[in-house]
Amino acid sequence: MTATDKIHKYNKTEESIFTLLSLTTQITQSYDSIFDNEDILNSDFENFKGNYHELINDTIYDALASQIILKTIAYLDEWNNYFGVQTELKDKDRILYVKKIAKPAYSLLKEWKDLNDYRNHALAHNHSDREKQNIYLNNKKYDIPGSNGELMLLCYCVNKISQVVAEFFQDEVIAIISIISDIMVKNKIEKSESITFKSKYIEKIRNMNDTIADELMRKSVYESFIYGIINKKT
């Protein structure tokens, strides 16, 4: 391996920017998927009629909306606890200035007070709150994005924050975008291959089905045997 072949070692600031931008990409993809790939977040909002969501399957919609909330919480965690905190000391003043400029967008995100509680109760812990009460059966309300408009606002704020980051870390962003693109292409290839159901997966499915079928057959035979004994006694 030559010196030019060595893998570039990224510093803490570059790693944090990578996390922020990759989460932004995932949030945007989920939002665009809800609205049939319409580039709403970069539009002028004037001509958007917003009628496609009426045709969306509820299950897909809920899954994507949940992913947006999960990724936004991860984004805020990176923003608050790593970016400018555990990143390179030489970048600290620049990051503090970035955070100052992006504060209006950040403040809008923080207006939803229950993002973490909703994540913990609805998406992670079997629909139970801290008191182990079912949040749906008890009609518990959360201060989270609850409409398409609020989801749009949330996604737009994340995108705007990342745009500010990109403005002040252009060299880092150029390198990171290339990495994110490579990862997305690689993931797409891997996922497309899995859809073809390679023989090893089919074999696993058959083995599983056979095992379950055998157990169900044994259960049926056993119950018939017991039933026969009971009938003889009566």
Side-chain angles (χ1 to χ4, degrees):
M1 178 181 289
T2 65
T4 55
D5 292 329
K6 290 182 179 179
I7 297 175
H8 176 69
K9 183 175 176 58
Y10 296 94
N11 63 41
K12 294 298 183 181
T13 298
E14 291 171 327
E15 289 177 358
S16 188
I17 292 174
F18 171 81
T19 300
L20 292 171
L21 293 187
S22 61
L23 287 168
T24 300
T25 299
Q26 292 168 357
I27 291 167
T28 302
Q29 285 178 331
S30 293
Y31 186 83
D32 288 345
S33 296
I34 289 177
F35 290 95
D36 195 24
N37 295 319
E38 296 183 48
D39 193 13
I40 299 167
L41 297 178
N42 291 314
S43 71
D44 58 9
F45 304 108
E46 293 296 327
N47 299 317
F48 172 58
K49 298 179 180 179
N51 56 4
Y52 179 77
H53 70 278
E54 296 173 3
L55 306 175
I56 299 280
N57 179 278
D58 286 343
T59 302
I60 296 175
Y61 181 94
D62 289 344
L64 290 171
S66 295
Q67 279 300 308
I68 289 173
I69 291 175
L70 286 170
K71 294 298 190 299
T72 300
I73 292 170
Y75 186 93
L76 290 171
D77 179 60
E78 183 70 27
W79 183 260
N80 290 323
N81 299 317
Y82 292 91
F83 189 57
V85 179
Q86 300 186 37
T87 44
E88 302 300 310
L89 186 59
K90 66 180 178 63
D91 297 318
K92 186 169 184 179
D93 289 341
R94 188 164 37 149
I95 291 174
L96 288 176
Y97 190 48
V98 166
K99 289 191 172 185
K100 179 180 179 180
I101 294 176
K103 188 174 181 179
Y106 173 81
S107 296
L108 284 174
L109 289 175
K110 294 299 289 183
E111 286 186 3
W112 288 292
K113 304 300 183 185
D114 295 332
L115 289 174
N116 282 289
D117 278 350
Y118 180 78
R119 185 269 311 275
N120 293 337
H121 302 165
L123 304 177
H125 295 156
N126 298 330
H127 304 164
S128 298
D129 59 18
R130 293 185 182 87
E131 288 73 43
K132 308 299 182 184
Q133 299 294 313
N134 186 289
I135 61 174
Y136 295 112
L137 295 179
N138 288 279
N139 198 28
K140 190 176 181 70
K141 303 297 183 183
Y142 292 89
D143 184 8
I144 61 170
S147 67
N148 292 332
E150 287 183 302
L151 279 177
M152 181 273 290
L153 177 59
L154 180 145
C155 295
Y156 189 82
C157 288
V158 170
N159 272 268
K160 183 57 65 176
I161 292 173
S162 288
Q163 286 173 15
V164 177
V165 172
E167 185 68 27
F168 286 84
F169 290 91
Q170 294 183 10
D171 292 339
E172 292 85 351
V173 168
I174 289 171
I176 287 165
I177 287 176
S178 175
I179 299 170
I180 292 175
S181 298
D182 290 343
I183 292 173
M184 289 172 63
V185 170
K186 182 175 181 292
N187 289 342
K188 187 173 184 179
I189 293 172
E190 290 176 349
K191 288 175 182 176
S192 65
E193 288 178 349
S194 68
I195 294 174
T196 61
F197 293 110
K198 294 180 179 178
S199 58
K200 66 178 181 180
Y201 302 121
I202 295 175
E203 188 63 28
K204 286 184 178 182
I205 290 172
R206 286 174 177 165
N207 289 338
M208 175 195 66
N209 284 338
D210 289 346
T211 300
I212 292 174
D214 288 345
E215 290 301 321
L216 290 174
M217 180 62 72
R218 290 191 186 96
K219 177 178 179 294
S220 178
V221 170
Y222 176 76
E223 289 176 346
S224 297
F225 176 74
I226 296 298
Y227 182 75
I229 292 176
I230 293 173
N231 282 342
K232 285 182 179 179
K233 289 183 178 180
T234 57

